[in-house]
Every structure is written in C-alpha cells, then in structure tokens.
Amino acid sequence: MKEIGEQLKTARESIGVSIEEVAEDLKVRPTQVENIEAGNSEAFDDIFYLKYFIRDYAKYLGLNKEDLVDEFNEYLFDYTSRLSLDDIKMAAKEAKPTKAVKSPYTYNKKRKIAVIPVVVYGVLAILISVIIYFVITINVIDDDFEEGTIITEKK
C-alpha cells in the first residue's frame, strides 16, 4: 500500500499540484489525500471507497489506473490472507447489524392506500370548509349591521 501512495505522491509532485488542489478537484478532504499517499489504509472505513479513490486519483494524475487498482487488489489479497479465522469470527461478532441491501433492479410493489383514511380526510376537509364559511359569513353579516339598526322593507 505504501508503494501505491508513493507513486501517487511522486506523480502529484512532478506535475506541481498541491494536496489542497487534489482534494478540491476530487471532492475529498486533504487528510484523505495525505493518508493515501502515506499508505495509511486504516484511516479509511470502507476499503471499496479507498479502491475507487485510488482509481480516481490515478486517473486525475494521468497514471494508468488499472495498474494501480490491480496493485491495490494484490495488497488487499495479501492483507486479508494473513487474517486468522479467529480474527474473522471476532470481527463478525463485533460487526453491527446492517440493513438489508436492495438491488436497484428489484421491483418494489407499491402499497395500496387504504380507502378509509382517504374518506375520513375528505369528510374532515369538507367539515372544516363549511365551518370556515359560516364563521366568515356570520362575521360579515354582523359587521354590516350595527346594533339596534332596524331593517325595514320598502314597498
């Protein structure tokens, strides 16, 4: 992993790009660029994110991204093959349960909306509208006539 980081750092320095410029262009934090160049894979929670970061960083620098990804895959294979079964079992016990991952190709049936709530909301809307109408008309009628005014019809 350190060799990959050194290759990336050497390429970055040879073209005169700063860590901040790389971070801004790749939309990552400068500490992530520093960690990758230092070969510090433990700083990344997601190893797949690290792999894609190496790919994008290599492409950004004009390096052969496939070669660096292959080199990373070899590093990953060597690293994981050194883990004992006890370590793997211990990590599995400590792992937090994750939500089920759904494929973007899975068809999800839409649940039908129950008719009763729709009817209840409709009736409530009508009742509220009627109450507002009466409140407004009563206030308008009360405002038009002063107290004590007698209305007479003309013949």
Side-chain angles (χ1 to χ4, degrees):
M1 182 64 204
K2 216 162 197 37
E3 296 84 19
I4 295 171
E6 289 173 3
Q7 289 178 30
L8 294 169
K9 183 176 182 178
T10 304
R12 177 184 58 79
E13 289 174 345
S14 71
I15 60 175
V17 179
S18 70
I19 289 177
E20 289 75 23
E21 289 174 309
V22 171
E24 185 177 330
D25 291 341
L26 294 178
K27 296 181 180 20
V28 294
R29 293 184 299 273
T31 56
Q32 291 175 311
V33 177
E34 292 169 353
N35 282 322
I36 195 73
E37 288 182 353
N40 186 10
S41 62
E42 289 80 25
F44 295 88
D45 291 335
D46 190 350
I47 203 77
F48 293 107
Y49 174 75
L50 176 60
K51 179 179 179 176
Y52 292 120
F53 177 75
I54 290 171
R55 182 199 65 191
D56 293 345
Y57 193 13
K59 183 178 176 182
Y60 173 79
L61 295 173
L63 300 174
N64 188 339
K65 62 183 179 184
E66 285 84 18
D67 289 345
L68 283 174
V69 169
D70 288 343
E71 194 173 331
F72 177 75
N73 286 336
E74 288 176 24
Y75 157 77
L76 192 59
F77 177 76
D78 290 342
Y79 177 77
T80 56
S81 64
R82 284 185 261 140
L83 295 174
S84 69
L85 287 177
D86 293 334
D87 291 339
I88 294 171
K89 288 177 183 176
M90 189 72 119
K93 287 180 183 177
E94 294 173 359
K96 298 176 185 173
T98 58
K99 295 181 182 177
V101 178
K102 293 183 180 180
S103 168
Y105 302 107
T106 303
Y107 177 74
N108 293 327
K109 293 182 179 180
K110 293 182 181 178
R111 294 192 318 184
K112 294 181 181 180
I113 299 174
V115 176
I116 294 174
V118 174
V119 171
V120 171
Y121 290 132
V123 169
L124 284 175
I126 292 171
L127 284 174
I128 291 172
S129 300
V130 169
I131 291 170
I132 291 172
Y133 172 77
F134 281 117
V135 168
I136 291 172
T137 55
I138 289 172
N139 285 336
V140 169
I141 292 172
D142 285 346
D143 291 342
D144 287 346
F145 302 105
E146 296 177 13
E147 256 184 63
T149 307
I150 299 174
I151 300 176
T152 58
E153 288 185 26
K154 292 184 179 180
K155 289 187 185 184

